[in-house]
Amino acid sequence: MEKDEIHLRRLPAAAPWGPHAGSEFHGVDFLPEDLNEAPEETGMRVNKKYSCLPAEEKGIHIINIRAIEDIGYDQHESTLLNSLSKNPDADCKYGLYFRDGKRKVDYILVYHYKKSSAGRTLTRRVHHNDSSARSTKQDQPLPGKGVQLEMGESEPHVDYHEDDKRFRREEYEGNLVEAGLELERDEDTKIHGIGFVKIHAPWNVLCREAEFLKLKMPTKKMYQINQTHGLLKKINSVIQKITEPIQPKVAEHKPQTVKRLSYPFSREKQHLFDLSDRDSFFDSKTRSTIVYEILKRTTCTKAKYSMGKGEGRKKETTLLNKRRKCGKYGITSLLANGVYSAAYPLHDGDYEGENVEPNDRKLLCEEWASYGVFYKYQPIDLVRKYFGEKIGLYFAWLGVYTQMLIPASIVGIIVFLYGCATVDENIPSMEMCDQRNNITMCPLCDRTCSYWKMSSACATARASHLFDNPATVFFSVFMALWAATFMEHWKRKQMRLNYRWDLTGFEEEEDHPRAEYEAKVLEKSLRKEHKHKETDKEKLTWKDRFPAYLTNFVGIIFMVGLTFAIVFGVIIYRISTAAALAISSTPSGRSSVRVTVTATAVIINLVVIIILDEVYGCIARWLTQIEVPKTDKNFEERLIFKAFLLKFVNAYTPIFYVAFFKGRFVGRPGDYVYIFHSFRMEECAPGGCLMELCIQLSIIMLGKQLIQNNLFEIGIPKMKKFIRYMKLKRRRSLDHEEHMKKKQRYEVDYNLEPFAGLTPEYMEMIIQFGFVTLFVASFPLAPLFALLNNIIEIRLDAKKFVTELRRPVAVRAKDIGIWYNILRGIGKLAVIINAFVISFTSDFIPRLVYLYMYSENGTMHGFVNHTLSSFNVSDFQAGTAPNDPMDLGYEVQICRYKDYREPPWSENKYDISKDFWAVLAARLAFVIVFQNLVMFMSDFVDWIIPDIPKDISQQIHKEKVLMVEVFMREEQGKLQMLETWKDKDKKKGENCNNHSPRLSRSHSGSLSSCHSYPLDV
């Protein structure tokens, strides 16, 4: 049979016409395949599967097209048919099913195409090489089509780039058909220039792939879940009654007393599984996962379209052969090359509007993605059912983290209230505020700054006590133990989810190589082939990646240096602004210098951090791309590491500066340290740098959360939605009738934002976790603000996933991956940083040293005077003394500054005193003791709490025992059946042997049939 020949199938006159029964004629379905290579049998198999036509040779003829340049239909005929029939979109539930209304759409491929100049509504173009004469049957006009184009007719200008994409699509879709998938194409959509390929996986394909993927499916066997007894049962029942109002109203969230035994799906053991309802046995999430696996591994090897000859054609043939040999160009490569513009599974239906059929998406929107249910638990099982395990684990982790912030917030509030209650009893701040002490402080800058009274810093000193009190030390220890408890609690919760979601035996297999990796391997093998070298089993080595590694190293060092440079620039801004404001003629301006400088500098830091966050995210992705990781998992882990490193440095560098470097390298009056020989290093306030650290931390944390949540996660999506709405409104005014039709499901989902992965969501929470734990000694209210943010964040992310994003492909995962290790690292680092904050940034250690070594009456009276050193104003360097020494109204001879140095009347004047070394030794001893004690306590908590809950380990063991019993019973049943067959065989054999020879000869057929009976069975 010729390839260009038209095959005729006969349909009974009384029968409806396949998928278009009772609806308008939509043109001829195109079944994509590589026509250059497809044999006649393949074509017949495709026709049989997708034409939905009975085999009887009666009635009218239906033409199945194999190679015709353009297929279209007359608009007037279509309008007439449409007016006489019901709406076909309702039959297929507006795109959720094929046109026959029976086969469910499991996946969508989207591509761009250019319409022909003839302006037909539906255009189909098929590549062919056979230029032989057409059959006379082809001269018959198609239903709904006028005159056919002849081969010799002139065609419009051909876009070879578009043709190449079309050829690739044809080959790829033909390969999908060979893999068993069923396809249906739709180009007659409301989105002009966009075509959709609907994919359906039939039952046999689902079974085959489920076995390949080792998907655990529920069997018929059910067993009782171990229930608590006695006092624990009563406590659990009371807790359930109390928490009933805050439980989501979904079936999946109700406590279960029985569970189905799960087992990896096997086609040979289908009798074990409950297949009473095949349509719902594989849910939509599983179906889309299976189709995506097929899309990833199905290859497309067609070389780029070219009209060249000679050497160019030879090179192209070599490339084609090499690609066929390499053969790993799946959907990811086709998306990257623009052959397809998008690929996604469909949402289950609409989530709002009148007469919306109940579906999981609508239920999630009502019980999860709504701000009105912020006080309720999340329906995690339903989230997993709809979005898959990986996204389900993210929201489960976010929920556990938010719950654990509740006790941390309560303790933080208590610590803060303790500081408020004891502020009037704090002797050091009372001494600083007492104007009778008449302590004159040295100038804060050269020449323009004058002497000032310590009592002017009274407000700062009192505010410092709110966060710098003995309770903050307890809170630091508590938060270190809290972090360890949180990690252990999450591990236990994760094991419960693994058991509930049948992931206990799940092991991640090596993923398919990425398209970029395969392209690099192909390029390398072609290079070696050109040099006549062996090219078997090529892979990228560290030598191939060395330039990328070097670029990564230099790039990360440069970005870290850029962050330090920006922080240094802000320091220069603070110093210069403080000097400029000190010249102010108004007393109020001079008194508010420190507050003004601190607030404006922190706001500048915040803006820079938010901008650099976006920049560093893009740079981290680019640096990871040039490394060419082999699999998507490797790519994600490397991207996370780089992005976290850059964003961590970006977010915490200004805070580290204030906590550990500000005021440490100032020098002393008469011998200050200068930057660029003109800017004097800034120093801390008399109450210490802890208050400034608190301001810096709170503004950056709150500002980052508010701006990123409200502007980036709410504002930008709403702005994009508004732009799309305006475009649709403009189109609607141009073509009112077309846009009055209800859109298909796949058209609506195409207009949603593509899913960009969970990395930005995790990153935001991990940085917040750092704010909560790393510097919690300076800001006890950090857990409270994190809790308030997360309550909104959960519903915000839920709303985004349900209503604003295309449905992501469900990915199986049993843990949160590299994020867990990052959390553990931050928890360990938090212990060290809080130890240094308490000992070096706060005045906790100097107070203890003074109280137990230098206090005369065992109280804190005299502490402020003990921490101040004296300076003779006659020792100022030339040109650094104040321009107005009489600013306070009297002549100053001795001024004070905060440091432990010898007085000017000592033999070793201005040298470091022994008090400094005593305080330093106490500080270092505290760091060592605190760090080791808290680390030990954290490890003890880690050790004492088992990773796997006892009841879960018992249930897992019970499942194994039950599964063994099931298989033993099955084996016993088989043996009994074989024994029965053997007994029957023996009896029949004896009966046959008892017959006479004549009878035996006459009934030889019966005898043979007796012996063949077991084989037949």
Side-chain angles (χ1 to χ4, degrees):
M1 188 181 292
E2 297 292 339
K3 289 182 181 177
D4 289 346
E5 185 179 345
I6 296 178
H7 305 293
L8 300 180
R9 299 287 302 275
R10 191 180 296 271
L11 184 70
W17 188 3
H20 311 292
S23 66
E24 60 177 319
F25 180 64
H26 282 71
V28 181
D29 286 345
F30 171 61
L31 304 174
E33 56 184 311
D34 190 352
L35 300 179
N36 292 324
E37 299 175 3
E40 178 186 351
E41 289 78 3
T42 305
M44 294 303 292
R45 180 178 63 84
V46 173
N47 294 338
K48 183 176 179 181
K49 183 174 286 187
Y50 302 108
S51 62
C52 299
L53 303 177
E56 288 84 4
E57 297 286 335
K58 298 178 181 179
I60 62 171
H61 288 77
I62 301 303
I63 303 178
N64 188 3
I65 308 304
R66 294 288 301 198
I68 294 181
E69 291 298 306
D70 289 314
I71 299 172
Y73 63 93
D74 194 299
Q75 289 284 358
H76 302 290
E77 291 185 21
S78 173
T79 306
L80 178 62
L81 286 169
N82 190 32
S83 64
L84 296 174
S85 63
K86 63 180 181 179
N87 185 6
D89 293 339
D91 292 340
C92 62
K93 294 189 178 180
Y94 294 97
L96 288 173
Y97 289 81
F98 277 22
R99 293 192 190 107
D100 58 10
K102 297 178 181 178
R103 290 173 291 171
K104 190 174 183 180
V105 176
D106 298 320
Y107 217 87
I108 291 291
L109 300 180
V110 188
Y111 60 92
H112 291 271
Y113 70 93
K114 293 184 179 179
K115 291 192 175 183
S116 65
S117 58
R120 295 185 177 90
T121 303
L122 201 61
T123 302
R124 303 286 186 266
R125 188 179 293 268
V126 181
H127 175 59
H128 63 88
N129 288 329
D130 189 358
S131 58
S132 60
R134 295 174 181 266
S135 171
T136 56
K137 294 179 183 178
Q138 289 176 314
D139 296 331
Q140 300 175 3
L142 295 175
K145 181 171 176 69
V147 182
Q148 294 225 5
L149 289 175
E150 296 296 333
M151 287 294 295
E153 286 188 40
S154 61
E155 291 187 356
H157 176 69
V158 180
D159 187 342
Y160 296 117
H161 185 63
E162 289 298 320
D163 281 350
D164 176 64
K165 289 183 179 180
R166 179 165 51 80
F167 298 153
R168 289 174 187 269
R169 285 197 295 269
E170 290 169 8
E171 183 197 6
Y172 184 68
E173 290 164 14
N175 292 340
L176 291 179
V177 169
E178 290 180 7
L181 298 178
E182 300 179 4
L183 311 180
E184 186 176 82
R185 181 171 294 186
D186 184 8
E187 289 181 359
D188 186 16
T189 62
K190 292 170 69 175
I191 308 175
H192 298 290
I194 300 292
F196 296 90
V197 178
K198 295 175 277 187
I199 302 177
H200 168 77
W203 173 256
N204 61 329
V205 174
L206 292 172
C207 294
R208 181 191 72 205
E209 297 299 322
E211 185 173 348
F212 291 166
L213 296 173
K214 300 176 183 176
L215 295 180
K216 272 193 169 183
M217 304 303 293
T219 63
K220 297 176 184 176
K221 176 70 175 177
M222 301 182 73
Y223 67 95
Q224 194 80 15
I225 296 176
N226 292 338
Q227 300 294 319
T228 55
H229 301 284
L231 182 62
L232 284 177
K233 185 177 181 180
K234 293 180 180 178
I235 293 173
N236 287 339
S237 63
V238 171
I239 292 173
Q240 284 179 8
K241 288 180 181 178
I242 294 173
T243 59
E244 189 174 354
I246 60 175
Q247 299 291 347
K249 297 177 182 178
V250 297
E252 285 79 1
H253 200 77
K254 294 178 181 177
Q256 297 178 346
T257 56
V258 293
K259 186 178 183 292
R260 285 191 179 275
L261 195 63
S262 295
Y263 185 73
F265 188 82
S266 171
R267 287 172 290 181
E268 295 180 355
K269 300 184 183 297
Q270 287 193 31
H271 57 279
L272 294 177
F273 303 94
D274 184 12
L275 303 179
S276 56
D277 185 5
R278 290 192 173 189
D279 292 336
S280 61
F281 183 74
F282 295 106
D283 57 15
S284 58
K285 163 190 65 87
T286 308
R287 295 175 72 99
S288 62
T289 303
I290 288 173
V291 173
Y292 183 64
E293 287 295 325
I294 298 174
L295 292 176
K296 280 200 297 185
R297 71 162 184 260
T298 302
T299 60
C300 174
T301 57
K302 191 178 286 293
K304 193 168 181 63
Y305 187 84
S306 173
M307 297 297 290
K309 296 180 180 179
E311 192 63 32
R313 176 70 72 182
K314 288 180 181 177
K315 288 182 178 178
E316 204 164 84
T317 305
T318 306
L319 178 63
L320 173 60
N321 293 335
K322 203 67 195 175
R323 283 191 173 184
R324 289 187 188 280
K325 187 177 179 181
C326 188
K328 291 290 181 183
Y329 285 83
I331 188 63
T332 52
S333 176
L334 298 175
L335 287 170
N337 294 329
V339 178
Y340 291 102
S341 56
Y344 52 88
L346 292 179
H347 279 292
D348 277 0
D350 292 325
Y351 60 89
E352 60 182 359
E354 298 180 0
N355 303 321
V356 175
E357 292 186 6
N359 58 72
D360 287 342
R361 189 188 188 194
K362 185 175 185 292
L363 188 59
L364 281 172
C365 188
E366 293 171 352
E367 293 294 328
W368 182 52
S370 172
Y371 294 111
V373 294
F374 72 92
Y375 60 92
K376 289 188 176 184
Y377 284 101
Q378 299 181 85
I380 291 298
D381 291 322
L382 185 59
V383 175
R384 173 253 179 179
K385 178 185 174 185
Y386 194 78
F387 291 109
E389 287 79 7
K390 193 170 186 178
I391 294 175
L393 282 172
Y394 164 70
F395 282 104
W397 173 83
L398 185 55
V400 169
Y401 172 47
T402 304
Q403 287 175 9
M404 289 294 292
L405 283 173
I406 295 174
S409 302
I410 293 171
V411 176
I413 292 171
I414 292 172
V415 169
F416 179 73
L417 293 177
Y418 171 81
C420 295
T422 58
V423 67
D424 292 329
E425 302 171 4
N426 184 36
I427 295 174
S429 62
M430 291 169 62
E431 287 184 349
M432 289 180 65
C433 295
D434 191 357
Q435 296 184 1
R436 293 173 297 176
N437 288 335
N438 198 27
I439 299 176
T440 304
M441 303 297 292
C442 295
L444 294 174
C445 60
D446 293 342
R447 295 187 298 277
T448 55
C449 299
S450 186
Y451 304 106
W452 55 286
K453 291 283 189 181
M454 174 172 272
S455 57
S456 64
C458 174
T460 307
R462 289 174 65 85
S464 295
H465 179 72
L466 300 178
F467 306 101
D468 187 5
N469 56 66
T472 56
V473 180
F474 158 76
F475 191 56
S476 299
V477 176
F478 171 81
M479 287 304 293
L481 298 179
W482 172 87
T485 308
F486 162 59
M487 300 304 293
E488 290 305 306
H489 179 44
W490 166 243
K491 280 197 290 188
R492 291 169 64 84
K493 177 71 173 178
Q494 194 170 253
M495 282 305 302
R496 288 188 182 278
L497 292 176
N498 284 344
Y499 164 71
R500 213 156 72 206
W501 296 348
D502 299 320
L503 294 170
T504 47
F506 170 68
E507 292 295 335
E508 292 186 13
E509 298 179 358
E510 188 175 357
D511 202 356
H512 297 281
R514 296 172 63 247
E516 292 82 355
Y517 178 85
E518 291 290 350
K520 281 285 183 183
V521 170
L522 173 63
E523 185 182 333
K524 180 181 178 182
S525 58
L526 286 174
R527 239 184 357 253
K528 283 196 172 183
E529 189 181 69
H530 184 68
K531 297 177 181 178
H532 305 291
K533 293 183 179 180
E534 283 294 325
T535 58
D536 290 338
K537 294 183 181 180
E538 281 297 335
K539 63 179 182 179
L540 297 184
T541 62
W542 69 269
K543 292 181 180 179
D544 300 316
R545 291 192 173 105
F546 180 75
Y549 289 154
L550 184 62
T551 306
N552 269 261
F553 178 76
V554 173
I556 290 174
I557 294 296
F558 175 76
M559 292 301 134
V560 173
L562 176 64
T563 305
F564 289 163
I566 291 172
V567 172
F568 183 73
V570 175
I571 294 170
I572 299 296
Y573 161 79
R574 293 162 67 116
I575 296 169
S576 57
T577 306
L581 290 176
I583 308 174
S584 174
S585 57
T586 60
S588 60
R590 289 197 297 270
S591 63
S592 61
V593 167
R594 193 179 296 276
V595 176
T596 305
V597 170
T598 301
T600 54
V602 172
I603 291 171
I604 291 172
N605 274 327
L606 173 63
V607 173
V608 169
I609 285 171
I610 291 173
I611 293 172
L612 286 183
D613 253 4
E614 301 302 314
V615 174
Y616 285 168
C618 298
I619 290 174
R621 180 168 290 277
W622 176 75
L623 290 175
T624 310
Q625 285 173 346
I626 64 174
E627 277 188 54
V628 198
K630 184 175 182 179
T631 63
D632 287 330
K633 184 180 179 182
N634 291 342
F635 180 89
E636 186 181 27
E637 288 181 350
R638 295 186 186 196
L639 173 63
I640 288 169
F641 175 75
K642 293 180 185 65
F644 174 74
L645 179 63
L646 292 174
K647 292 188 177 186
F648 182 89
V649 171
N650 179 42
Y652 295 113
T653 300
I655 301 172
F656 270 93
Y657 164 73
V658 173
F660 303 123
F661 297 99
K662 185 178 180 181
R664 308 289 171 195
F665 312 101
V666 178
R668 61 172 180 82
D671 187 21
Y672 283 114
V673 177
Y674 291 91
I675 302 173
F676 305 133
H677 302 288
S678 55
F679 296 105
R680 205 175 95 186
M681 288 291 291
E682 57 180 345
E683 47 190 299
C684 293
C689 279
L690 196 70
M691 187 61 201
E692 190 171 340
L693 175 62
C694 173
I695 295 171
Q696 183 105 0
L697 186 67
S698 59
I699 292 179
I700 290 178
M701 177 182 176
L702 296 178
K704 197 169 183 293
Q705 289 182 351
L706 290 174
I707 292 175
Q708 283 191 334
N709 285 354
N710 292 309
L711 181 62
F712 293 166
E713 294 196 28
I714 298 177
I716 292 178
K718 285 191 178 297
M719 186 175 66
K720 289 181 177 179
K721 198 172 182 179
F722 177 74
I723 292 171
R724 286 197 299 267
Y725 170 76
M726 293 303 294
K727 287 181 178 178
L728 282 173
K729 194 175 180 182
R730 197 177 299 117
R731 286 181 183 173
R732 204 168 284 155
S733 61
L734 295 174
D735 192 355
H736 181 70
E737 287 187 7
E738 180 73 14
H739 287 274
M740 283 301 289
K741 292 192 304 182
K742 184 176 179 180
K743 278 189 176 181
Q744 303 287 332
R745 177 79 262 155
Y746 43 85
E747 294 178 81
V748 176
D749 287 3
Y750 178 71
N751 288 326
L752 298 176
E753 290 292 313
F755 175 61
L758 289 171
T759 300
E761 313 298 337
Y762 271 116
M763 190 68 69
E764 183 183 344
M765 289 296 104
I766 296 297
I767 296 295
Q768 185 206 82
F769 182 77
F771 282 123
V772 168
T773 55
L774 291 179
F775 296 95
V776 75
S778 63
F779 190 38
L781 295 179
L784 174 64
F785 290 113
L787 173 65
L788 297 176
N789 173 79
N790 287 6
I791 291 172
I792 301 171
E793 180 73 20
I794 289 174
R795 307 303 163 180
L796 180 68
D797 285 348
K799 198 172 187 65
K800 182 171 66 175
F801 272 83
V802 173
T803 65
E804 296 175 4
L805 294 179
R806 292 176 192 160
R807 188 175 183 177
V809 179
V811 178
R812 286 189 299 168
K814 63 187 299 183
D815 52 39
I816 59 174
I818 193 175
W819 296 111
Y820 182 81
N821 297 328
I822 292 175
L823 284 169
R824 283 188 67 87
I826 291 177
K828 300 294 183 186
L829 185 62
V831 176
I832 301 170
I833 289 178
N834 280 305
F836 277 95
V837 167
I838 293 169
S839 61
F840 283 90
T841 309
S842 74
D843 281 339
F844 177 73
I845 300 301
R847 287 174 187 169
L848 284 181
V849 171
Y850 176 79
L851 185 65
Y852 292 106
M853 291 182 64
Y854 298 103
S855 178
E856 296 177 356
N857 53 9
T859 64
M860 293 302 295
H861 288 287
F863 170 73
V864 174
N865 187 57
H866 180 261
T867 59
L868 298 176
S869 299
S870 302
F871 178 75
N872 194 330
V873 297
S874 61
D875 293 332
F876 272 121
Q877 290 181 351
T880 60
N883 295 334
D884 185 12
M886 299 295 292
D887 185 57
L888 294 177
Y890 57 88
E891 185 180 357
V892 178
Q893 294 182 348
I894 298 293
C895 67
R896 310 295 295 274
Y897 61 98
K898 190 171 182 178
D899 204 350
Y900 292 100
R901 290 183 180 270
E902 297 290 342
W905 50 84
S906 172
E907 294 181 1
N908 303 315
K909 64 177 183 177
Y910 307 132
D911 283 354
I912 293 173
S913 65
K914 63 178 182 179
D915 298 343
F916 171 83
W917 299 110
V919 171
L920 179 63
R923 282 174 164 165
L924 293 174
F926 176 83
V927 169
I928 295 170
V929 172
F930 181 89
Q931 176 185 329
N932 286 282
L933 178 64
V934 175
M935 287 281 192
F936 170 76
M937 294 170 70
S938 299
D939 291 341
F940 179 75
V941 169
D942 191 355
W943 172 76
I944 202 171
I945 301 175
D947 294 346
I948 305 176
K950 187 177 180 181
D951 59 326
I952 296 300
S953 60
Q954 290 174 351
Q955 298 289 1
I956 293 171
H957 178 70
K958 186 177 182 179
E959 276 197 352
K960 291 179 180 177
V961 172
L962 288 173
M963 188 55 67
V964 171
E965 288 180 4
V966 168
F967 284 117
M968 290 298 293
R969 285 177 187 170
E970 187 181 358
E971 289 298 321
Q972 288 174 0
K974 287 181 180 178
L975 290 173
Q976 289 176 359
M977 194 176 293
L978 286 173
E979 291 291 337
T980 305
W981 286 345
K982 286 181 180 178
D983 292 342
K984 288 182 179 179
D985 187 32
K986 285 181 181 178
K987 289 178 181 178
K988 290 198 175 186
E990 290 173 359
N991 292 335
C992 291
N993 290 332
N994 290 334
H995 287 315
S996 63
R998 181 177 54 82
L999 265 171
S1000 297
R1001 283 194 298 272
S1002 63
H1003 293 86
S1004 57
S1006 303
L1007 184 61
S1008 63
S1009 66
C1010 290
H1011 291 290
S1012 65
Y1013 174 75
L1015 295 176
D1016 294 339
V1017 172

Short mmCIF file of all heavy atoms in Angstrom, two decimals, residues 249-265:
data_model
loop_
_atom_site.label_atom_id
_atom_site.label_comp_id
_atom_site.label_asym_id
_atom_site.label_seq_id
_atom_site.Cartn_x
_atom_site.Cartn_y
_atom_site.Cartn_z
N LYS A 249 -12.88 20.08 56.93
CA LYS A 249 -14.01 19.19 56.63
C LYS A 249 -13.76 18.45 55.33
O LYS A 249 -14.40 18.69 54.30
CB LYS A 249 -15.30 20.01 56.54
CG LYS A 249 -15.66 20.68 57.86
CD LYS A 249 -16.90 21.55 57.71
CE LYS A 249 -17.24 22.25 59.02
NZ LYS A 249 -18.41 23.15 58.88
N VAL A 250 -12.80 17.53 55.36
CA VAL A 250 -12.49 16.70 54.21
C VAL A 250 -12.41 15.25 54.69
O VAL A 250 -12.02 14.97 55.83
CB VAL A 250 -11.17 17.11 53.52
CG1 VAL A 250 -11.27 18.51 52.96
CG2 VAL A 250 -9.99 17.02 54.48
N ALA A 251 -12.78 14.33 53.80
CA ALA A 251 -12.82 12.92 54.18
C ALA A 251 -11.43 12.38 54.50
O ALA A 251 -11.26 11.54 55.38
CB ALA A 251 -13.45 12.11 53.05
N GLU A 252 -10.42 12.88 53.77
CA GLU A 252 -9.06 12.34 53.94
C GLU A 252 -8.46 12.68 55.30
O GLU A 252 -7.48 12.08 55.72
CB GLU A 252 -8.13 12.88 52.83
CG GLU A 252 -8.33 12.27 51.47
CD GLU A 252 -9.52 12.87 50.76
OE1 GLU A 252 -10.16 13.77 51.33
OE2 GLU A 252 -9.83 12.43 49.63
N HIS A 253 -9.03 13.70 55.99
CA HIS A 253 -8.42 14.14 57.25
C HIS A 253 -8.99 13.43 58.47
O HIS A 253 -8.49 13.58 59.57
CB HIS A 253 -8.61 15.66 57.39
CG HIS A 253 -7.66 16.29 58.36
ND1 HIS A 253 -6.34 16.54 58.04
CD2 HIS A 253 -7.81 16.72 59.63
CE1 HIS A 253 -5.74 17.11 59.07
NE2 HIS A 253 -6.62 17.22 60.05
N LYS A 254 -10.05 12.64 58.28
CA LYS A 254 -10.66 11.96 59.41
C LYS A 254 -9.77 10.82 59.88
O LYS A 254 -9.13 10.15 59.07
CB LYS A 254 -12.04 11.44 59.02
CG LYS A 254 -13.04 12.56 58.73
CD LYS A 254 -14.39 11.99 58.30
CE LYS A 254 -15.36 13.13 57.98
NZ LYS A 254 -16.67 12.62 57.51
N PRO A 255 -9.70 10.59 61.20
CA PRO A 255 -8.87 9.48 61.70
C PRO A 255 -9.39 8.14 61.20
O PRO A 255 -10.60 7.88 61.21
CB PRO A 255 -8.98 9.61 63.23
CG PRO A 255 -10.21 10.43 63.46
CD PRO A 255 -10.36 11.33 62.28
N GLN A 256 -8.47 7.30 60.77
CA GLN A 256 -8.85 6.01 60.20
C GLN A 256 -8.50 4.89 61.17
O GLN A 256 -7.45 4.93 61.83
CB GLN A 256 -8.13 5.79 58.87
CG GLN A 256 -8.52 6.81 57.80
CD GLN A 256 -7.75 6.60 56.51
OE1 GLN A 256 -6.77 5.88 56.48
NE2 GLN A 256 -8.22 7.23 55.45
N THR A 257 -9.38 3.92 61.23
CA THR A 257 -9.14 2.76 62.10
C THR A 257 -8.67 1.54 61.30
O THR A 257 -8.12 0.60 61.87
CB THR A 257 -10.43 2.39 62.87
OG1 THR A 257 -11.48 2.16 61.92
CG2 THR A 257 -10.82 3.52 63.82
N VAL A 258 -8.92 1.55 59.98
CA VAL A 258 -8.45 0.46 59.12
C VAL A 258 -7.65 1.05 57.96
O VAL A 258 -7.82 2.21 57.60
CB VAL A 258 -9.63 -0.37 58.57
CG1 VAL A 258 -10.32 -1.12 59.68
CG2 VAL A 258 -10.60 0.51 57.81
N LYS A 259 -6.78 0.23 57.42
CA LYS A 259 -5.92 0.66 56.31
C LYS A 259 -5.77 -0.49 55.34
O LYS A 259 -5.69 -1.65 55.74
CB LYS A 259 -4.55 1.11 56.83
CG LYS A 259 -3.63 1.70 55.78
CD LYS A 259 -2.32 2.16 56.42
CE LYS A 259 -1.41 2.85 55.41
NZ LYS A 259 -0.90 1.93 54.40
N ARG A 260 -5.74 -0.14 54.06
CA ARG A 260 -5.51 -1.16 53.03
C ARG A 260 -4.02 -1.49 52.95
O ARG A 260 -3.18 -0.60 53.00
CB ARG A 260 -6.00 -0.68 51.68
CG ARG A 260 -7.52 -0.70 51.53
CD ARG A 260 -7.93 -0.45 50.10
NE ARG A 260 -9.38 -0.50 49.95
CZ ARG A 260 -10.08 -1.60 49.76
NH1 ARG A 260 -9.46 -2.77 49.70
NH2 ARG A 260 -11.39 -1.56 49.62
N LEU A 261 -3.74 -2.74 52.80
CA LEU A 261 -2.36 -3.18 52.62
C LEU A 261 -1.90 -2.78 51.22
O LEU A 261 -2.61 -3.00 50.24
CB LEU A 261 -2.29 -4.69 52.80
CG LEU A 261 -0.91 -5.32 52.99
CD1 LEU A 261 -0.27 -4.81 54.26
CD2 LEU A 261 -1.05 -6.83 53.05
N SER A 262 -0.75 -2.18 51.14
CA SER A 262 -0.23 -1.70 49.85
C SER A 262 0.91 -2.59 49.38
O SER A 262 1.67 -3.14 50.19
CB SER A 262 0.24 -0.26 49.96
OG SER A 262 -0.84 0.59 50.24
N TYR A 263 1.01 -2.69 48.05
CA TYR A 263 2.05 -3.54 47.46
C TYR A 263 2.39 -2.97 46.09
O TYR A 263 1.52 -2.43 45.40
CB TYR A 263 1.55 -4.98 47.32
CG TYR A 263 2.59 -5.94 46.83
CD1 TYR A 263 3.63 -6.34 47.66
CD2 TYR A 263 2.56 -6.44 45.53
CE1 TYR A 263 4.61 -7.22 47.21
CE2 TYR A 263 3.53 -7.32 45.07
CZ TYR A 263 4.55 -7.70 45.92
OH TYR A 263 5.51 -8.56 45.49
N PRO A 264 3.68 -3.02 45.70
CA PRO A 264 4.05 -2.51 44.36
C PRO A 264 3.23 -3.20 43.27
O PRO A 264 3.13 -4.43 43.25
CB PRO A 264 5.54 -2.85 44.24
CG PRO A 264 6.03 -2.89 45.65
CD PRO A 264 4.89 -3.42 46.46
N PHE A 265 2.68 -2.41 42.40
CA PHE A 265 1.76 -2.94 41.39
C PHE A 265 2.46 -3.93 40.47
O PHE A 265 3.59 -3.72 40.05
CB PHE A 265 1.16 -1.80 40.56
CG PHE A 265 0.06 -2.24 39.65
CD1 PHE A 265 -1.22 -2.40 40.12
CD2 PHE A 265 0.31 -2.53 38.31
CE1 PHE A 265 -2.25 -2.83 39.28
CE2 PHE A 265 -0.69 -2.95 37.47
CZ PHE A 265 -1.99 -3.10 37.96
#
